[in-house]
Amino acid sequence: MTARERVRTIVDASWFQGTVVSLILVNGVILGVETSTRVMAAHGGLLHAIDLCILALFVVELALRMFAHRAAFFRDPWSWFDLVIVGIALLPASGPFAVLRVLRVLRVLRLLSVIPSLRHVVAGLFRAMPGMMSILFLVVLLLYVSAVMATRLFAEVSPQYFADLPTSLFTLFQIATADGWGTIAKDVMEHEPMAWVFFVVFVLVSTLVALNLFIAVAVEALERDDDEPPRGGGEGRAGHGGSGPDDEGPEGQRLILAELRALRAEVASLRREREGVGPG
């Protein structure tokens, strides 16, 4: 085996992926603990050193994957995701980039690229984006129409909630999130007893119907992904277990060579039998 094949065997191994997941989880815990002033005063130096060691291991991991998979590494969007996340963590802690240090916590998001089931969910959500954008446009349209109606109906009796269009939009958005909408409705109903019809219809349509539509679109995208056959003869990604269609692993190469040797031996045996029979 060549050096590249050995490295590839290591980075594609399950124990290597498990180690990376463990490092990500430990790093996430450390980033959370660093928000405690008392803990940082007592153990800040140790936590900072561990954080730097884990970051160095992430850099080494990415370098090994680049060496093992070469061009296939850069063809994978998840590899670019890992590069960006780790690259943000390498920005200097002082100067104009100091504010970006808070983005170190994004390293926890590397779990999305390492764990196959999470990658599957994220990919399904991206495929559902066109349908979700249509539903989002429908919700925005509903909010606008309802805000115009509410401003005209309740501006005089409840100006603190429906004085103008922007105020009504914010109030209706609050109602759509089910945040204290009963208090708002009771305040209006003290002056307009039939106002409950407007609020009940709005809550049913905006909250229940719209939310269920979002869930239905996401579930449909995930089910469609489950039903699709793997493309390109395999579904592994570079650097995270499995090889692409144009990049055979060492095991596949050994099988091909064994088949070629067997075929050569069979041809040689047939040739010897033919020569032994002779021309007559």
Side-chain angles (χ1 to χ4, degrees), residues 1 3-16 68 250:
M1 294 177 65
R4 175 172 172 261
E5 290 173 345
R6 293 192 184 96
V7 173
R8 179 167 183 169
T9 302
I10 293 174
V11 298
D12 288 346
S14 58
W15 65 266
F16 186 87

Side-chain angles (χ1 to χ4, degrees), residues 204-222:
L204 288 175
V205 175
S206 65
T207 304
L208 301 180
V209 176
L211 179 61
N212 283 307
L213 284 175
F214 275 110
I215 295 174
V217 170
V219 170
E220 181 184 2
L222 291 174

Side-chain angles (χ1 to χ4, degrees), residues 40-53:
M40 287 300 294
H43 309 287
L46 176 62
L47 292 175
H48 184 63
I50 296 175
D51 182 70
L52 289 178
C53 289

Side-chain angles (χ1 to χ4, degrees), residues 61-84:
E61 179 232 346
L62 287 177
L64 291 175
R65 284 167 48 194
M66 289 180 193
F67 176 74
H69 298 281
R70 297 184 182 179
F73 176 89
F74 296 99
R75 289 196 298 266
D76 181 20
W78 287 108
S79 297
W80 283 103
F81 177 81
D82 292 342
L83 280 175
V84 171

Side-chain angles (χ1 to χ4, degrees), residues 37-181:
T37 306
R38 181 173 59 85
V39 174
M40 287 300 294
H43 309 287
L46 176 62
L47 292 175
H48 184 63
I50 296 175
D51 182 70
L52 289 178
C53 289
I54 293 177
L55 178 59
L57 291 174
F58 285 157
V59 174
V60 171
E61 179 232 346
L62 287 177
L64 291 175
R65 284 167 48 194
M66 289 180 193
F67 176 74
H69 298 281
R70 297 184 182 179
F73 176 89
F74 296 99
R75 289 196 298 266
D76 181 20
W78 287 108
S79 297
W80 283 103
F81 177 81
D82 292 342
L83 280 175
V84 171
I85 295 297
V86 176
I88 290 174
L90 292 175
L91 292 175
S94 59
F97 298 104
V99 68
L100 296 179
R101 245 184 106 69
V102 71
L103 299 180
R104 292 183 307 154
V105 72
L106 294 179
R107 273 181 267 174
V108 181
L109 294 180
R110 287 202 60 202
L111 289 173
L112 299 178
S113 65
V114 176
I115 302 177
S117 58
L118 292 180
R119 293 204 307 267
H120 171 71
V121 172
V122 173
L125 289 177
F126 274 110
R127 277 187 292 274
M129 285 302 295
M132 288 186 174
M133 292 304 296
S134 300
I135 300 173
L136 180 62
F137 178 76
L138 177 63
V139 172
V140 171
L141 186 62
L142 172 66
L143 279 174
Y144 178 77
V145 172
S146 301
V148 173
M149 293 175 60
T151 303
R152 292 186 176 275
L153 291 172
F154 311 129
E156 295 181 0
V157 299
S158 186
Q160 69 271 31
Y161 295 122
F162 303 103
D164 49 34
L165 184 60
T167 305
S168 297
L169 282 171
F170 182 80
T171 301
L172 291 178
F173 179 78
Q174 179 181 349
I175 294 174
T177 60
D179 180 19
W181 75 274

